[in-house]
Amino acid sequence: MPKFYARRRLSILGALTALIASVAVLNGPTASAALPTPVSAATARTYLASLTVATENRTGYNRDLFPTWITISGTCNTREYILKRDGSNVVVNSACTATSGSWYSPYDGATWTAASDLDIDHLVPLAEAWDSGAGAWTTAQRQAFANDVTRPQLIAVTDNVNQSKSDQDPAEWMPSVTSYRCTYVRAWVQVKYYYDLSVDSAEKSALTSYLANC
Protein backbone atom coordinates (compact mmCIF):
# COMPACT_ATOMS: atom_id res chain seq x y z
CA MET A 1 0.00 0.00 0.00
CA PRO A 2 1.58 3.34 -0.96
CA LYS A 3 2.49 5.55 1.96
CA PHE A 4 2.52 8.88 0.19
CA TYR A 5 -0.42 10.27 2.15
CA ALA A 6 1.82 10.03 5.21
CA ARG A 7 4.67 11.75 3.46
CA ARG A 8 3.42 15.33 3.33
CA ARG A 9 6.90 16.66 4.08
CA LEU A 10 6.95 19.86 2.08
CA SER A 11 9.32 22.44 3.51
CA ILE A 12 8.09 25.98 4.17
CA LEU A 13 10.01 27.09 1.08
CA GLY A 14 8.45 24.35 -1.01
CA ALA A 15 4.97 25.25 0.20
CA LEU A 16 5.55 28.93 -0.60
CA THR A 17 6.88 28.04 -4.06
CA ALA A 18 3.75 26.00 -4.77
CA LEU A 19 1.52 28.80 -3.50
CA ILE A 20 3.29 31.44 -5.59
CA ALA A 21 3.02 29.23 -8.68
CA SER A 22 -0.69 28.72 -8.08
CA VAL A 23 -1.31 32.44 -7.59
CA ALA A 24 0.64 33.23 -10.77
CA VAL A 25 -1.47 30.84 -12.78
CA LEU A 26 -4.73 32.22 -11.50
CA ASN A 27 -3.78 35.87 -11.95
CA GLY A 28 -4.27 35.99 -15.68
CA PRO A 29 -2.95 35.49 -19.17
CA THR A 30 0.57 36.80 -18.54
CA ALA A 31 1.26 34.18 -15.86
CA SER A 32 4.67 32.55 -16.10
CA ALA A 33 6.39 30.11 -13.76
CA ALA A 34 8.78 27.21 -13.89
CA LEU A 35 8.62 23.66 -12.62
CA PRO A 36 8.06 23.84 -8.82
CA THR A 37 11.55 24.08 -7.35
CA PRO A 38 12.72 20.59 -6.37
CA VAL A 39 14.53 19.77 -3.16
CA SER A 40 18.25 20.52 -2.87
CA ALA A 41 20.85 18.06 -4.09
CA ALA A 42 21.79 17.27 -0.48
CA THR A 43 18.17 16.49 0.39
CA ALA A 44 17.78 14.48 -2.81
CA ARG A 45 20.82 12.39 -1.90
CA THR A 46 19.28 11.70 1.52
CA TYR A 47 15.95 10.80 -0.06
CA LEU A 48 17.62 8.53 -2.62
CA ALA A 49 19.47 6.63 0.09
CA SER A 50 16.14 5.80 1.74
CA LEU A 51 14.37 4.50 -1.38
CA THR A 52 13.75 0.79 -1.75
CA VAL A 53 15.79 -0.85 -4.51
CA ALA A 54 13.65 -3.38 -6.37
CA THR A 55 13.23 -5.00 -9.76
CA GLU A 56 10.57 -3.28 -11.84
CA ASN A 57 7.37 -5.10 -12.75
CA ARG A 58 5.10 -3.83 -15.53
CA THR A 59 2.57 -6.68 -15.34
CA GLY A 60 -0.95 -5.33 -15.80
CA TYR A 61 0.06 -1.79 -16.78
CA ASN A 62 -2.41 0.26 -18.80
CA ARG A 63 -2.14 4.03 -19.19
CA ASP A 64 -5.90 4.35 -18.70
CA LEU A 65 -5.37 3.29 -15.08
CA PHE A 66 -3.92 6.81 -14.55
CA PRO A 67 -6.84 9.14 -15.42
CA THR A 68 -5.73 12.37 -17.13
CA TRP A 69 -6.53 15.23 -17.48
CA ILE A 70 -8.78 16.46 -14.66
CA THR A 71 -10.17 19.92 -13.91
CA ILE A 72 -7.69 21.89 -11.81
CA SER A 73 -9.12 25.39 -11.69
CA GLY A 74 -12.21 26.92 -13.31
CA THR A 75 -12.39 25.60 -16.86
CA CYS A 76 -8.69 24.63 -16.90
CA ASN A 77 -7.70 20.98 -16.96
CA THR A 78 -4.24 19.77 -15.97
CA ARG A 79 -2.66 20.30 -19.39
CA GLU A 80 -4.07 23.80 -19.72
CA TYR A 81 -3.04 24.67 -16.17
CA ILE A 82 0.57 23.64 -16.80
CA LEU A 83 0.67 25.46 -20.16
CA LYS A 84 -0.41 28.65 -18.36
CA ARG A 85 2.07 28.08 -15.55
CA ASP A 86 5.07 27.30 -17.75
CA GLY A 87 4.49 29.83 -20.52
CA SER A 88 5.09 33.54 -20.94
CA ASN A 89 2.34 35.97 -21.99
CA VAL A 90 -0.12 33.10 -22.37
CA VAL A 91 -3.56 34.11 -23.62
CA VAL A 92 -6.43 31.67 -23.21
CA ASN A 93 -10.03 31.63 -24.36
CA SER A 94 -13.11 30.96 -22.24
CA ALA A 95 -12.45 27.22 -22.43
CA CYS A 96 -8.91 27.81 -21.07
CA THR A 97 -7.34 26.78 -24.38
CA ALA A 98 -4.08 28.67 -25.00
CA THR A 99 -4.47 30.83 -28.12
CA SER A 100 -1.05 32.49 -27.92
CA GLY A 101 2.05 32.64 -25.78
CA SER A 102 5.67 31.53 -25.63
CA TRP A 103 7.08 28.37 -24.08
CA TYR A 104 10.71 27.46 -23.37
CA SER A 105 11.37 23.72 -23.19
CA PRO A 106 14.20 23.18 -20.67
CA TYR A 107 14.87 19.62 -21.86
CA ASP A 108 16.14 20.70 -25.29
CA GLY A 109 16.38 24.49 -25.12
CA ALA A 110 13.73 25.10 -27.79
CA THR A 111 11.19 27.94 -27.67
CA TRP A 112 7.68 27.53 -29.11
CA THR A 113 4.80 29.89 -29.80
CA ALA A 114 2.11 27.26 -30.48
CA ALA A 115 0.72 25.22 -27.60
CA SER A 116 0.29 22.30 -30.01
CA ASP A 117 4.09 21.95 -30.10
CA LEU A 118 4.16 21.17 -26.37
CA ASP A 119 3.46 17.99 -24.44
CA ILE A 120 3.00 17.92 -20.68
CA ASP A 121 5.65 15.51 -19.49
CA HIS A 122 5.16 13.34 -16.44
CA LEU A 123 8.70 13.74 -15.15
CA VAL A 124 8.42 10.32 -13.50
CA PRO A 125 6.51 8.55 -16.28
CA LEU A 126 3.25 6.79 -15.53
CA ALA A 127 4.60 3.41 -16.63
CA GLU A 128 7.70 3.94 -14.49
CA ALA A 129 5.49 4.70 -11.50
CA TRP A 130 3.51 1.53 -12.15
CA ASP A 131 6.72 -0.49 -12.36
CA SER A 132 7.92 0.84 -9.02
CA GLY A 133 4.83 0.61 -6.84
CA ALA A 134 1.81 2.37 -8.32
CA GLY A 135 0.35 -0.93 -9.48
CA ALA A 136 -0.77 -1.42 -5.87
CA TRP A 137 -2.50 1.97 -5.67
CA THR A 138 -6.16 2.77 -6.06
CA THR A 139 -7.36 4.54 -9.21
CA ALA A 140 -7.88 7.70 -7.15
CA GLN A 141 -4.25 7.61 -6.01
CA ARG A 142 -3.02 7.09 -9.56
CA GLN A 143 -5.18 9.99 -10.73
CA ALA A 144 -3.64 12.22 -8.05
CA PHE A 145 -0.17 11.24 -9.25
CA ALA A 146 -0.98 11.80 -12.92
CA ASN A 147 -2.34 15.28 -12.24
CA ASP A 148 0.03 16.48 -9.49
CA VAL A 149 0.60 20.20 -10.03
CA THR A 150 2.22 20.71 -6.60
CA ARG A 151 5.26 18.46 -6.80
CA PRO A 152 7.89 18.92 -9.59
CA GLN A 153 6.19 16.20 -11.65
CA LEU A 154 4.54 17.97 -14.61
CA ILE A 155 6.29 20.25 -17.09
CA ALA A 156 5.60 21.61 -20.58
CA VAL A 157 8.27 20.44 -23.05
CA THR A 158 8.79 19.95 -26.78
CA ASP A 159 6.36 17.24 -27.89
CA ASN A 160 8.77 15.03 -29.82
CA VAL A 161 11.34 15.24 -27.01
CA ASN A 162 8.72 14.00 -24.57
CA GLN A 163 7.83 11.21 -26.97
CA SER A 164 11.49 10.19 -27.34
CA LYS A 165 11.82 10.07 -23.55
CA SER A 166 8.73 7.85 -23.36
CA ASP A 167 8.81 5.77 -20.14
CA GLN A 168 12.60 5.79 -19.66
CA ASP A 169 14.29 6.48 -16.34
CA PRO A 170 17.53 8.49 -15.82
CA ALA A 171 19.69 5.42 -16.50
CA GLU A 172 18.21 5.40 -20.03
CA TRP A 173 17.34 9.02 -20.87
CA MET A 174 18.30 12.50 -19.72
CA PRO A 175 17.57 16.02 -21.05
CA SER A 176 20.01 17.07 -23.77
CA VAL A 177 20.47 20.43 -22.00
CA THR A 178 23.14 19.33 -19.54
CA SER A 179 22.63 22.35 -17.26
CA TYR A 180 19.09 21.12 -16.55
CA ARG A 181 20.07 17.61 -15.50
CA CYS A 182 20.65 18.48 -11.86
CA THR A 183 17.16 19.98 -11.62
CA TYR A 184 15.75 16.92 -13.39
CA VAL A 185 17.28 14.32 -11.06
CA ARG A 186 16.46 16.33 -7.93
CA ALA A 187 12.85 16.46 -9.08
CA TRP A 188 12.85 12.76 -10.00
CA VAL A 189 14.07 11.71 -6.56
CA GLN A 190 11.66 14.08 -4.79
CA VAL A 191 8.68 12.62 -6.63
CA LYS A 192 9.77 9.03 -6.05
CA TYR A 193 10.33 9.75 -2.36
CA TYR A 194 7.04 11.56 -1.88
CA TYR A 195 5.08 8.74 -3.47
CA ASP A 196 7.17 6.01 -1.81
CA LEU A 197 8.16 4.48 -5.16
CA SER A 198 11.12 2.13 -5.52
CA VAL A 199 14.14 2.46 -7.82
CA ASP A 200 15.92 -0.27 -9.73
CA SER A 201 19.69 -0.72 -9.36
CA ALA A 202 20.66 0.93 -12.66
CA GLU A 203 18.35 3.87 -11.96
CA LYS A 204 19.82 4.37 -8.47
CA SER A 205 23.35 4.21 -9.84
CA ALA A 206 22.58 6.86 -12.48
CA LEU A 207 20.82 9.12 -9.98
CA THR A 208 23.71 8.80 -7.53
CA SER A 209 26.18 9.75 -10.25
CA TYR A 210 24.22 12.79 -11.45
CA LEU A 211 23.53 14.02 -7.92
CA ALA A 212 27.22 13.80 -7.05
CA ASN A 213 27.81 16.53 -9.63
CA CYS A 214 25.03 18.84 -8.45
Side-chain angles (χ1 to χ4, degrees), residues 143-163:
Q143 176 176 288
F145 176 84
N147 299 277
D148 188 349
V149 298
T150 303
R151 260 60 56 183
Q153 163 64 352
L154 295 171
I155 184 170
V157 297
T158 303
D159 53 4
N160 60 6
V161 171
N162 180 54
Q163 290 151 25

Side-chain angles (χ1 to χ4, degrees), residues 29-214:
T30 59
S32 176
L35 182 79
T37 303
V39 296
S40 69
T43 298
R45 285 190 286 269
T46 299
Y47 284 1
L48 179 60
S50 75
L51 295 181
T52 299
V53 178
T55 302
E56 296 183 349
N57 183 357
R58 192 160 298 187
T59 303
Y61 171 71
N62 186 317
R63 197 180 191 283
D64 292 341
L65 294 170
F66 292 80
T68 57
W69 302 112
I70 63 171
T71 300
I72 299 295
S73 174
T75 60
C76 300
N77 68 20
T78 313
R79 171 181 166 82
E80 294 157 347
Y81 184 98
I82 297 299
L83 284 172
K84 288 177 68 178
R85 187 199 71 184
D86 289 0
S88 298
N89 301 314
V90 178
V91 176
V92 300
N93 61 22
S94 60
C96 202
T97 302
T99 57
S100 64
S102 177
W103 292 268
Y104 173 77
S105 170
Y107 287 3
D108 58 329
T111 298
W112 304 96
T113 56
S116 59
D117 288 320
L118 284 299
D119 277 355
I120 306 304
D121 180 43
H122 290 93
L123 195 135
V124 174
L126 303 182
E128 169 69 23
W130 178 275
D131 295 350
S132 48
W137 296 354
T138 65
T139 299
Q141 289 168 327
R142 287 190 290 267
Q143 176 176 288
F145 176 84
N147 299 277
D148 188 349
V149 298
T150 303
R151 260 60 56 183
Q153 163 64 352
L154 295 171
I155 184 170
V157 297
T158 303
D159 53 4
N160 60 6
V161 171
N162 180 54
Q163 290 151 25
S164 69
K165 171 189 170 180
S166 185
D167 57 7
Q168 298 178 92
D169 70 28
E172 304 160 319
W173 185 94
M174 285 291 285
S176 61
V177 176
T178 56
S179 61
Y180 195 72
R181 290 179 176 178
C182 184
T183 299
Y184 186 83
V185 295
R186 284 158 48 212
W188 182 283
V189 172
Q190 180 179 344
V191 171
K192 283 236 163 171
Y193 178 81
Y194 181 83
Y195 285 98
D196 199 27
L197 296 169
S198 63
V199 289
D200 64 37
S201 57
E203 176 188 355
K204 183 172 183 177
S205 178
L207 290 166
T208 300
S209 178
Y210 285 115
L211 285 171
N213 295 315
C214 288

Side-chain angles (χ1 to χ4, degrees), residues 19-38:
L19 176 61
I20 291 168
S22 297
V23 170
V25 168
L26 298 175
N27 272 350
T30 59
S32 176
L35 182 79
T37 303

